[in-house]
Amino acid sequence: SQELEQSPQSLIVQEGKNLTINCTSSKTLYGLYWYKQKYGEGLIFLMMLQKGGEEKSHEKITAKLDEKKQQSSLHITASQPSHAGIYLCGADIIGNQFYFGTGTSLTVIP
Amino acid sequence: DTAVSQTPKYLVTQMGNDKSIKCEQNLGHDTMYWYKQDSKKFLKIMFSYNNKELIINETVPNRFSPKSPDKAHLNLHINSLELGDSAVYFCASSPHSSGRQETQYFGPGTRLLVL
């Protein structure tokens, strides 16, 4: 079973459109991390969320951790081709174990 | 049916020792990776390897060496362990490394503590 489920698995959007990627856990998340996979460089850290209701933004990317701390969403506003890639969530879950999500592949069509 | 497995899960050892961490994937993937996760949960890629190419992050000390007996395995050998090597090490694999982005599948991690 997968501790962290991401949806959708893949996403194709037109440049300029907004999009949302979700990361859901069946257990309480003690820390939620978003990464972007960059070819040749591995995972690039985007943002970290720890408190329920916390929201962080960087450029056109916003991530939020819900109040119950069991789901996080990553929202991209006015998507650009540079946003294309694979987005992965990672989380501290009970038992001091770190898990990774299933990944979301984003394609942005110019 | 574990896709990417690592052994051991925990490793406690003395400074100066040599140790290995094993990684196996049964997904038939061509490319495997090693990452180091620090105390702030930042992931730093150490190596990526397929049967054609080894890409080494130049910041990785040469005390760390990947060894791949076959396509399904990529072991991490560490010589002369130092205190700063303490971290969680993650192995990952992806279908292939052709310039296209492929989702990586991660192992459960190995917690290394150097005393």
Side-chain angles (χ1 to χ4, degrees):
Chain A
S1 66
Q2 190 71 36
E3 299 292 343
L4 285 179
E5 293 283 348
Q6 277 184 242
S7 61
Q9 189 175 8
S10 64
L11 196 52
I12 302 173
V13 299
Q14 202 74 40
E15 183 177 355
K17 295 292 186 185
N18 302 335
L19 63 104
T20 300
I21 300 169
N22 293 305
C23 177
T24 303
S25 170
S26 57
K27 300 175 183 174
T28 300
L29 303 171
Y30 289 91
L32 190 287
Y33 303 76
W34 282 101
Y35 304 93
K36 183 181 177 185
Q37 186 177 310
K38 192 170 180 182
Y39 176 69
E41 295 185 36
L43 296 182
I44 307 297
F45 171 78
L46 295 176
M47 272 172 277
M48 177 185 73
L49 304 162
Q50 287 188 302
K51 299 176 186 175
E54 186 175 8
E55 183 173 317
K56 286 186 178 177
S57 293
H58 176 67
E59 298 178 344
K60 293 185 178 179
I61 302 177
T62 301
K64 184 187 259 188
L65 184 61
D66 78 355
E67 291 290 343
K68 292 183 180 177
K69 295 176 70 176
Q70 287 190 273
Q71 181 173 312
S72 177
S73 57
L74 186 81
H75 185 78
I76 299 177
T77 305
S79 58
Q80 300 169 356
S82 62
H83 288 129
I86 293 177
Y87 291 82
L88 202 66
C89 62
D92 280 318
I93 302 182
I94 192 169
N96 203 27
Q97 178 71 41
F98 196 86
Y99 292 93
F100 290 96
T102 46
T104 296
S105 176
L106 171 64
T107 302
V108 180
I109 301 172
Chain B
D1 240 11
T2 306
V4 183
S5 59
Q6 290 178 234
T7 54
K9 194 172 181 181
Y10 300 95
L11 181 56
V12 181
T13 188
Q14 298 283 348
M15 211 166 49
N17 284 349
D18 301 338
K19 291 292 179 186
S20 291
I21 306 172
K22 295 184 179 181
C23 179
E24 177 181 0
Q25 54 94 4
N26 61 8
L27 298 165
H29 286 171
D30 289 326
T31 304
M32 297 181 73
Y33 311 81
W34 275 105
Y35 289 86
K36 181 180 180 181
Q37 185 186 50
D38 64 19
S39 57
K40 293 184 180 179
K41 303 295 192 279
F42 294 163
L43 280 165
K44 184 176 177 181
I45 190 166
M46 301 175 73
F47 306 100
S48 66
Y49 182 80
N50 62 23
N51 57 7
K52 298 175 188 174
E53 191 179 16
L54 171 66
I55 300 174
I56 303 171
N57 184 322
E58 62 186 14
T59 66
V60 175
N62 57 15
R63 299 181 293 106
F64 290 79
S65 57
K67 297 190 190 302
S68 180
D70 54 56
K71 198 172 99 164
H73 297 83
L74 184 66
N75 303 327
L76 182 65
H77 189 75
I78 315 169
N79 288 328
S80 303
L81 278 156
E82 299 177 359
L83 295 177
D85 297 334
S86 297
V88 181
Y89 291 84
F90 285 98
C91 175
S93 71
S94 65
H96 51 76
S97 178
S98 62
R100 286 174 49 216
Q101 296 270 10
E102 296 282 352
T103 298
Q104 294 178 24
Y105 295 75
F106 284 82
T110 294
R111 290 180 178 277
L112 172 64
L113 178 61
V114 182
L115 302 174

